[in-house]
Amino acid sequence: MLLRLSARSIRRCTSCSFPSSSSSASSLPFRLGPASSFCTVPSMAANHPKDEAYLSAVIPKRIKLFEQIQANQLEKLKSLPHDPIKITSLKEGVKGDVKEGKKWETTPMDIAGQIAKGLANSALIAEVNGELWDMSRPLEGDCKLELFKFDSDKGRDTLWHSSAHILGQALEQEYGCQLCIGPCTTRGEGFYYDAFYGDLGLNDAHFANIEAGAAKAAKEAQPFERIVVTKDQALEMFSDNNFKVELINELSADKTITVYRCGPLVDLCRGPHIPNTSFVKAFKCLRASSAYWRASRERESLQRVYGISYPDQKQLKKYLQFLEEAKKYDHRLLGQKQELFFCHPLSPGSWFFLPLGTRVYNKLMEFIKEQYWKRGYTEVITPNMYNMNLWETSGHAANYKENMFTFDIEKQEFGLKPMNCPGHCLMFQHRVRSYRELPIRMADFGVLHRNEASGALSGLTRVRRFQQDDAHIFCTEDQVTDEVKAVLEFIDYAYKVFGFTYELKLSTRPEKYLGDLETWNKAETNLEVALEAFGKKWVKNEGDGAFYGPKIDITVSDAMNRKFQCATLQLDFQLPDRFKLEYSAEDEAKRQRPVMIHRAVLGSVERMFAILLEHYKGKWPFWLSPRQAIVCPISKKSEEYAKEVQKRIHEAGYYVDADITDRKIDKKVREAQLAQYNYILVVGESEAATGQVSVRIRDSAAHSVKNIDDLLEEFKAKTAEYQ
């Protein structure tokens, strides 16, 4: 797929808020400007402060500066005209009542109290004209207002983002550490905070103190207060934290910075936040790990603490029970138990798939390849390594090189491919293309390598060597809507087969983007039309598109209601331009640029393998199972017949074994059930005489007698129906 800035290369700085430019409005309190998408700056050496000095001098200094700036901004706010405004309340996007308020005075919290009793005590975040907004932040004019509780994605993510600040406060107070960044996790399960502790190594033994600090903060109901500061003010406020100074110094002089406070914690943050810390009534540290500042091995070594929080203890207890249950089905444990795959220290991040695991891997690819044949895709094979000139053209050399494996050949630099799209551009480019050929749908299962940090490797879900069901569609602008709709239908079909539910989000133009506004608007409109034609519910995710084009994010939920992002669908106008791709229009004298659609259904085959293994809890459906059937003879007298049955099933194209041991039949059947064979076929002298088998299903004590032809028809039907 196209350039995707990983956690190791350029991390989205979710704890920073940097409006695009200074203005009279942005100099006022409570004004949230658009956030800077990424933070990258040169290296520096961090000095770890002594605990007592940090707590007794640094934090009070920050608080004093915060209060001074806040007082000045509140005074300025009072002088503004508080004209009447109309607030239209929304619920799930549907228009509701119209309330009256005053500009620079009325807050979403005020409106919540007017709408329903108790809503002000449960609403965590507001959305004002499509922009997320603190509940205590005054409204600035006529607007549409929607409120969100914890049961919504926006409410949940806000609680967890705010909980990261509570975690940061506890860490800073307990250890005098230098805080770095603290966002929600990318999988949407809690939050973390990175910090520099010097020589201290955090572990589970520290969690009780951290949780006690978080509980203290929640009990105090500390409000989340917000100010906007200049670059100079921010540098003064965070002069004792070199990590924060690094983030600030990368900004141009006309940028402003958003700062939040809760209790003793003053932190750079783009927000928004929950009203106060008391909304976090259940808090738990989950684990600690090491990390690198800026995700670079060359930078400072940090400690990362992961946490989870809820608005009540009951939900936390339920989540912790879920974690215990999920541990039983960790794909790494199941993979070892079922002899599917393993990893060796001589090749970290690159997994060995054993014969049984290879069966599943191949079945997944065959499933996609069968759909390719039906849906008009053409499979291609492209090289694994390219001269770095290719990656300079594509932009990966400038933005992604540290994630690539590079090496020299005859004094020229080459790199293993981390994605297929530049190679597909070369394939499109190698001869003159006509509009009559479009759309061209190139599919590629080529091996990809990404130089992930060793600390980031995690089973099959974060690897260095992998394959994707990667495809790129080259089409005209007029074909975009139909092609996108077709991809969505492909994804819907595949996820129904796997038993997934999913959500759709349209991620629109970010603050920093390439290309012209007109092209972006047209692209977003095309995606909206395609989504409407597709007919499934979707939401707009403002400003979260890739810098090269808008995208549709597809989040799947498995049997344990965990969320994953596997499929992807992105529009790209930049690579066709970088590679100067052209096709001849109807007027052959004219040349036009194609639009490029990046799409994957499975995503990484390795990652999908892991997700499915846990989704099915190790009980593979028949069509995907590496152990579809086993023949168990009752005694030696029926062993030859068992081998005949095995041979016939094998020749029909199914995975079948035979247990030719001298153990009792009850033990054979029990072990076959534990090994997750879908069908256990018991044969004795009577079955041998009649040409039948006694059929037991994996999870059932019942059994039936069938002849081989009928059994094979059943296998055929289950395979065809993906059961």
Side-chain angles (χ1 to χ4, degrees):
M1 305 306 298
L2 185 63
L3 168 62
R4 306 190 71 169
L5 302 182
S6 79
R8 284 197 60 251
S9 56
I10 304 177
R11 183 182 299 279
R12 180 178 290 274
C13 185
T14 54
S15 63
C16 301
S17 179
F18 306 138
S20 57
S21 62
S22 297
S23 66
S24 57
S26 67
S27 65
L28 297 172
F30 313 110
R31 174 69 182 172
L32 177 63
S36 173
S37 298
F38 298 98
C39 298
T40 54
V41 290
S43 178
M44 56 82 195
N47 298 314
H48 180 55
K50 291 183 179 180
D51 295 0
E52 293 304 320
Y54 200 75
L55 294 173
S56 63
V58 173
I59 294 177
K61 183 199 80 171
R62 281 190 202 150
I63 292 173
K64 183 178 180 180
L65 285 170
F66 185 97
E67 290 177 342
Q68 288 173 352
I69 296 168
Q70 183 184 49
N72 290 335
Q73 293 185 355
L74 287 173
E75 191 64 32
K76 186 174 182 180
L77 189 65
K78 290 178 183 178
S79 66
L80 295 174
H82 291 205
D83 298 330
I85 58 173
K86 293 188 181 297
I87 302 103
T88 304
S89 64
L90 303 175
K91 187 173 182 180
E92 295 182 352
V94 179
K95 182 177 178 180
D97 296 336
V98 177
K99 305 292 183 181
E100 294 185 352
K102 291 185 178 181
K103 188 176 181 180
W104 303 113
E105 180 178 334
T106 303
T107 67
M109 186 77 75
D110 297 330
I111 302 302
Q114 295 178 36
I115 293 173
K117 185 178 180 181
L119 182 58
N121 295 324
S122 58
L124 299 177
I125 196 67
E127 190 172 75
V128 177
N129 292 334
E131 180 184 352
L132 286 178
W133 202 274
D134 294 303
M135 292 292 292
S136 59
R137 177 179 164 191
L139 300 169
E140 300 176 4
D142 293 345
C143 61
K144 294 179 180 179
L145 172 71
E146 190 165 5
L147 304 174
F148 297 94
K149 302 179 184 180
F150 184 77
D151 58 4
S152 67
D153 287 350
K154 292 172 182 175
R156 178 202 64 204
D157 288 348
T158 301
L159 184 93
W160 285 345
H161 182 189
S162 299
S163 297
H165 281 237
I166 295 173
L167 171 61
Q169 179 184 145
L171 294 173
E172 192 174 59
Q173 291 292 307
E174 184 69 25
Y175 304 109
C177 55
Q178 289 194 39
L179 297 176
C180 299
I181 62 168
C184 298
T185 60
T186 53
R187 282 184 58 180
E189 293 180 0
F191 48 88
Y192 66 82
Y193 218 118
D194 287 346
F196 180 74
Y197 298 82
D199 297 330
L200 175 66
L202 288 179
N203 55 49
D204 294 6
H206 297 89
F207 288 175
N209 289 339
I210 298 169
E211 289 165 1
K216 179 177 181 292
K219 186 177 181 180
E220 292 174 355
Q222 302 163 355
F224 279 88
E225 300 172 287
R226 179 182 182 280
I227 60 172
V228 175
V229 299
T230 65
K231 183 175 179 179
D232 287 341
Q233 289 171 330
L235 286 171
E236 182 183 5
M237 188 175 289
F238 294 97
S239 60
D240 297 280
N241 185 322
N242 293 333
F243 299 97
K244 303 290 185 182
V245 168
E246 182 176 315
L247 296 176
I248 298 164
N249 273 333
E250 72 176 352
L251 301 174
S252 58
D254 63 343
K255 294 293 181 73
T256 55
I257 303 170
T258 308
V259 175
Y260 274 84
R261 177 190 175 187
C262 61
L265 179 75
V266 177
D267 201 4
L268 293 171
C269 186
R270 66 177 180 177
H273 283 283
I274 59 177
N276 64 66
T277 55
S278 71
F279 283 74
V280 179
K281 292 186 168 55
F283 183 103
K284 185 75 174 175
C285 293
L286 298 177
R287 63 189 186 279
S289 66
S290 60
Y292 291 110
W293 175 237
R294 298 296 202 182
S296 170
R297 296 187 187 95
E298 308 303 318
R299 301 303 304 275
E300 292 77 10
S301 180
L302 311 176
Q303 298 283 316
R304 175 174 295 178
V305 179
Y306 289 90
I308 191 74
S309 64
Y310 287 95
D312 60 66
Q313 288 289 340
K314 185 178 178 181
Q315 291 187 66
L316 174 61
K317 183 179 179 181
K318 183 178 179 181
Y319 178 76
L320 295 177
Q321 290 172 341
F322 157 77
L323 285 185
E324 288 302 312
E325 181 72 8
K327 284 179 184 177
K328 302 176 187 177
Y329 306 111
D330 187 297
H331 71 276
R332 289 162 290 195
L333 298 177
L334 291 176
Q336 182 178 357
K337 186 177 179 180
Q338 296 189 5
E339 297 183 65
L340 302 175
F341 46 75
F342 72 93
C343 194
H344 196 281
L346 292 177
S347 186
S350 300
W351 286 74
F352 292 78
F353 283 84
L354 295 163
L356 293 170
T358 301
R359 290 176 179 180
V360 179
Y361 201 104
N362 286 338
K363 280 281 187 181
L364 287 171
M365 291 204 295
E366 288 166 10
F367 168 67
I368 295 296
K369 288 182 178 185
E370 182 181 343
Q371 293 302 310
Y372 282 165
W373 182 260
K374 295 177 180 179
R375 297 173 188 270
Y377 287 80
T378 302
E379 275 197 78
V380 298
I381 298 173
T382 51
N384 278 359
M385 64 179 186
Y386 296 89
N387 189 293
M388 284 304 294
N389 288 334
L390 173 81
W391 306 110
E392 287 168 5
T393 300
S394 67
H396 292 89
N399 296 295
Y400 204 76
K401 188 175 180 180
E402 69 176 79
N403 289 80
M404 296 176 62
F405 290 101
T406 60
F407 45 89
D408 290 337
I409 300 177
E410 297 178 347
K411 298 182 180 180
Q412 293 189 62
E413 191 175 20
F414 282 73
L416 289 176
K417 65 178 178 182
M419 58 274 296
N420 291 306
C421 35
H424 290 182
C425 287
L426 294 183
M427 193 167 278
F428 183 94
Q429 189 186 56
H430 89 284
R431 67 168 174 80
V432 176
R433 300 287 180 177
S434 166
Y435 73 95
R436 295 184 180 87
E437 296 179 73
L438 304 183
I440 296 173
R441 307 181 188 99
M442 293 185 190
D444 195 335
F445 279 99
V447 173
L448 306 176
H449 286 87
R450 295 183 185 176
N451 188 12
E452 299 285 357
S454 58
L457 300 176
S458 178
L460 294 179
T461 60
R462 181 66 70 86
V463 296
R464 287 175 175 161
R465 186 267 188 203
F466 61 100
Q467 290 174 265
Q468 289 182 316
D469 63 325
D470 202 2
H472 297 93
I473 301 169
F474 298 91
C475 63
T476 68
E477 288 190 12
D478 292 339
Q479 293 169 335
V480 166
T481 298
D482 287 341
E483 289 302 308
V484 169
K485 180 173 177 288
V487 171
L488 292 171
E489 289 169 349
F490 190 171
I491 292 168
D492 181 69
Y493 176 82
Y495 286 1
K496 280 180 179 176
V497 167
F498 295 139
F500 292 149
T501 57
Y502 63 90
E503 300 168 356
L504 298 168
K505 291 182 181 178
L506 171 59
S507 297
T508 59
R509 186 182 71 255
E511 179 191 357
K512 293 183 178 180
Y513 62 92
L514 297 178
D516 62 86
L517 189 60
E518 183 181 351
T519 301
W520 270 87
N521 289 338
K522 184 171 183 179
E524 289 175 8
T525 300
N526 286 339
L527 290 182
E528 286 187 21
V529 171
L531 283 165
E532 288 298 324
F534 181 53
K536 302 283 185 180
K537 183 180 177 181
W538 61 278
V539 296
K540 188 174 286 190
N541 192 16
E542 296 282 0
D544 203 43
F547 66 88
Y548 50 79
K551 60 179 179 171
I552 297 174
D553 291 320
I554 301 99
T555 305
V556 302
S557 297
D558 69 359
M560 290 183 273
N561 204 31
R562 296 174 301 178
K563 295 183 184 297
F564 305 91
Q565 188 165 339
C566 302
T568 187
L569 197 166
Q570 305 165 13
L571 288 192
D572 178 18
F573 306 97
Q574 308 312 317
L575 276 189
D577 194 53
R578 282 178 170 269
F579 281 91
K580 303 191 184 325
L581 302 185
E582 294 180 337
Y583 64 90
S584 60
E586 287 190 64
D587 178 355
E588 294 188 1
K590 292 184 178 179
R591 295 286 186 269
Q592 294 186 348
R593 287 268 189 272
V595 177
M596 194 173 181
I597 301 174
H598 303 251
R599 51 105 292 184
V601 177
L602 303 180
S604 159
V605 182
E606 282 76 1
R607 188 162 187 263
M608 179 58 76
F609 192 126
I611 291 169
L612 288 172
L613 182 53
E614 295 180 3
H615 173 62
Y616 295 129
K617 299 182 178 179
K619 297 179 183 293
W620 297 102
F622 179 80
W623 76 274
L624 199 51
S625 177
R627 293 180 172 95
Q628 293 176 313
I630 186 169
V631 187
C632 299
I634 293 174
S635 67
K636 273 190 168 296
K637 295 179 181 179
S638 48
E639 281 184 9
E640 286 304 314
Y641 178 64
K643 291 178 182 177
E644 290 176 20
V645 172
Q646 180 190 18
K647 181 180 179 183
R648 187 165 175 198
I649 295 174
H650 174 77
E651 289 175 347
Y654 303 100
Y655 300 130
V656 58
D657 296 313
D659 186 350
I660 311 297
T661 63
D662 59 359
R663 297 175 301 166
K664 291 183 178 180
I665 190 62
D666 288 348
K667 187 159 188 176
K668 291 182 181 181
V669 170
R670 179 58 181 155
E671 288 196 0
Q673 288 174 324
L674 291 173
Q676 303 302 329
Y677 282 94
N678 300 73
Y679 282 80
I680 303 164
L681 311 175
V682 177
V683 295
E685 292 181 70
S686 62
E687 285 82 11
T690 58
Q692 295 177 313
V693 292
S694 178
V695 180
R696 295 170 185 256
I697 306 298
R698 178 176 54 201
D699 297 320
S700 174
H703 61 89
S704 59
V705 177
K706 296 188 177 187
N707 64 50
I708 306 301
D709 288 338
D710 289 344
L711 182 65
L712 292 177
E713 281 299 315
E714 186 172 325
F715 286 1
K716 183 179 178 181
K718 285 204 166 188
T719 302
E721 295 170 10
Y722 300 110
Q723 295 181 351

